[in-house]
Amino acid sequence: DHRTAVTRPGDPAGIKPRSHAKPGALEGFDDRHELEAVDVDGVAATTIGTILWAIAFVILLSFRGRLEAAGHGQWIWICLAGAGLGLWGIAYCRHRRASLTRTHRARKH
């Protein structure tokens, strides 16, 4: 088999996870170091999602007659709800980011 199999402590003896890495690519791999969590507050992702919902609303609004004739008139309102909930999400994420920043600053002092 051309795949490199890596066993880790605690893995059952007969089961080896498969890797699609090139043979030898995992040499020197050390999994004892823990990865640090990505510091994401969600504001950017929520803002992008909200903008996309709003764009979809405007685009679908121009096809309102066709959508309603096809029985898909609710798509317009789903997009509007997505944009509205996104605005709430942006406010929530900004509030959360501010709270995390205050907590982080308090721990430093």
Side-chain angles (χ1 to χ4, degrees), residues 5-93:
V6 178
T7 56
R8 296 197 172 106
D11 284 347
I15 300 174
K16 295 181 182 180
R18 294 188 331 184
S19 171
H20 298 286
K22 293 179 183 176
L26 297 176
E27 289 179 13
F29 177 73
D30 186 2
D31 63 350
R32 292 177 287 177
H33 298 288
E34 296 217 13
L35 298 175
E36 291 186 29
V38 178
D39 186 26
V40 177
D41 56 30
V43 175
T46 306
T47 302
I48 291 168
T50 302
I51 291 169
L52 291 174
W53 278 117
I55 290 170
F57 172 74
V58 171
I59 291 171
L60 291 180
L61 197 58
S62 65
F63 295 103
R64 184 176 184 181
R66 286 189 203 175
L67 288 170
E68 288 178 354
H72 300 297
Q74 74 275 12
W75 289 3
I76 296 169
W77 309 116
I78 291 170
C79 292
L80 185 61
L85 289 172
L87 291 173
W88 176 83
I90 291 169
Y92 173 81
C93 288

